[in-house]
Amino acid sequence: MITFYPGPSKVYPQVANYAAEAVRSGLVSLNHRSAGFMDIVRETMQLLHTKLAIPDHYHIAFVSSATECWEIVAQSLTAETSLHPYSGAFGQKWAEYAYRIKSPINLTDADVLCIVQNETSNGTQVNMAALANFRNDFSGLIAVDAVSSMAGVTFDWTLADVWFASVQKCFGLPAGLAVLVYSPAALARAEAIGERDHYNSLLFIHENFAKFQTPYTPNGMGIYCLMRVLQQIPPIADIDAIIKRQAADWYNFFEQDMANSPFRLLIDNPAVRSDTVIAVSGSEADIKAVKLTAQQAGITLGNGYGNWKNTTFRIANFPAISEEEIGRLRKFFVNYPTPTPKGGA
Ligand SMILES: *Cc1c(COP(=O)(O)O)cnc(C)c1O
């Protein structure tokens, strides 16, 4: 079975060995305040800086999910309220979580702008030029959910103060860990707000990670596997080039080769199309049929999500997916629906 599900998604096959290493070496039984464990945290943070080109002055912490990051932004970095110009289901959920913590009573005083860089639900993205416009127009903090794009494409990290991603998408790892990146301005904001009411208050998290520790017992297996994946992957600029070429190929494929099929790209405007999640639309019946036929051919397509649940399927274009697998999926589509053999039965 091969999977194009955009999360949880295909993990790098090497992760099976990395997980076994973490157990065999005793890492998972190490006290998380021991020198051996702290070395792994330090090395993983260093690798994130080098492999993903995160500026040296930006801080990194590990938490458990992107959803947790939504709450951290609301509780520790938002003084009044936040703005959420969203275009899909994840952006909407983030707004709902945030507003339960900081109510949207006075939106004109909003001090944090929350952007989903890659909207996994419908395959759209806020590109760096658009993010630069937000940066120019908004004087408060900018927080970016980059769950389905971090480790897949390059960012201009300085265009936002907070970036986060859980690892079950472009990092090609099992769920249960998230990377939280924050700028000195974000830290200064957290200090000014002074919120220390939660186990995951950013100030506690920061104080612990400054010592390569965590406020609670961390997902040591996840951090170890992240370290090993980061050692294995090329620099983000190289991954970005591959992912963008593959995305362009998918978009051309659906516009040209599949022009006579019952399927159309969900997003018409090329400027906002995602590089890492390709959303394809069709009638409910056609979508249902193609997902089933693909499944029978050993290929899992991503279901639609939210408003687009029954009228789209999604194709993850994540780095762990091989060229060979992409070739198999293209071939499946080229032969779909199976052409009637010439000359009859
Ligand atoms: C998957 C996803 C999330 C949720 O991540 P969790 O790890 O389940 O919290 C949030 N935002 C986006 C854009 C996603 O794709």
Side-chain angles (χ1 to χ4, degrees):
M1 204 61 179
I2 62 176
T3 181
F4 290 87
Y5 221 99
S9 49
K10 186 190 174 196
V11 303
Y12 284 104
Q14 294 92 326
V15 172
N17 286 332
Y18 301 157
E21 282 170 21
V23 175
R24 284 203 203 101
S25 67
L27 177 269
V28 292
S29 309
L30 272 188
N31 181 303
H32 59 285
R33 312 219 184 270
S34 67
F37 192 89
M38 284 157 58
D39 284 347
I40 290 187
V41 172
R42 179 191 291 122
E43 167 77 1
T44 310
M45 286 161 72
Q46 188 51 49
L47 281 161
L48 282 163
H49 278 291
T50 52
K51 286 290 170 78
L52 300 191
I54 299 172
D56 286 343
H57 61 295
Y58 273 51
H59 306 284
I60 297 174
F62 302 125
V63 294
S64 54
S65 70
T67 305
E68 185 182 1
C69 296
W70 292 344
E71 294 213 341
I72 292 171
V73 170
Q75 79 198 8
S76 298
L77 290 168
T78 307
E80 293 297 329
T81 191
S82 44
L83 289 179
H84 297 257
Y86 60 78
S87 72
F90 286 102
Q92 182 180 355
K93 268 198 198 176
W94 186 1
E96 288 164 7
Y97 275 75
Y99 290 155
R100 263 178 246 146
I101 295 174
K102 292 283 154 71
S103 90
I105 288 179
N106 218 342
L107 284 176
T108 50
D109 291 338
D111 50 318
V112 182
L113 180 64
C114 298
I115 309 276
V116 175
Q117 195 274 323
N118 197 71
E119 181 48 80
T120 321
S121 65
N122 59 16
T124 55
Q125 73 170 317
V126 174
N127 63 31
M128 290 305 115
L131 191 57
N133 287 335
F134 282 121
R135 195 58 148 175
N136 278 331
D137 296 345
F138 189 77
S139 59
L141 291 185
I142 298 188
V144 175
D145 173 329
V147 175
S148 53
S149 51
M150 189 189 293
V153 295
T154 51
F155 301 138
D156 180 347
W157 297 93
T158 63
L159 293 177
D161 302 288
V162 180
W163 297 80
F164 55 85
S166 32
V167 298
Q168 72 272 22
K169 315 246 166 120
C170 286
F171 283 95
L173 283 159
L177 182 70
V179 176
L180 174 63
V181 179
Y182 50 103
S183 69
L187 181 60
R189 207 68 221 295
E191 281 161 355
I193 293 172
E195 185 278 312
R196 292 176 172 276
D197 295 341
H198 302 273
Y199 80 99
N200 59 1
S201 294
L202 187 62
L203 293 175
F204 289 150
I205 291 180
H206 180 76
E207 285 156 13
N208 276 272
F209 274 93
K211 298 178 289 184
F212 306 105
Q213 295 187 359
T214 53
Y216 53 90
T217 316
N219 178 353
M221 163 95 82
I223 294 172
Y224 181 81
C225 291
L226 172 60
M227 178 186 81
R228 298 290 281 118
V229 161
L230 289 166
Q231 289 169 341
Q232 157 202 320
I233 61 173
I236 191 64
D238 298 1
I239 297 178
D240 176 89
I242 295 168
I243 292 297
K244 287 191 176 145
R245 176 176 46 75
Q246 288 173 173
D249 287 349
W250 274 128
Y251 287 121
N252 282 335
F253 177 75
F254 280 101
E255 278 180 337
Q256 290 165 26
D257 306 42
M258 296 287 284
N260 295 322
S261 80
F263 305 114
R264 291 289 167 272
L265 291 169
L266 177 64
I267 306 303
D268 289 328
N269 177 3
V272 301
R273 283 178 186 158
S274 166
D275 291 310
T276 50
V277 179
I278 318 299
V280 181
S281 71
S283 71
E284 278 201 33
D286 284 323
I287 294 294
K288 203 173 161 189
V290 73
K291 285 192 302 190
L292 184 65
T293 312
Q295 200 67 28
Q296 286 160 349
I299 301 170
T300 302
L301 294 172
N303 286 335
Y305 194 98
N307 291 344
W308 302 274
K309 191 171 177 41
N310 298 319
T311 51
T312 59
F313 63 80
R314 293 172 301 158
I315 301 172
N317 181 33
F318 293 167
I321 297 169
S322 68
E323 298 258 1
E324 194 262 335
E325 290 170 324
I326 294 171
R328 270 179 66 187
L329 181 54
R330 279 180 71 121
K331 201 163 159 221
F332 165 81
F333 283 126
V334 167
N335 294 323
Y336 182 86
T338 313
T340 320
K342 289 204 173 71

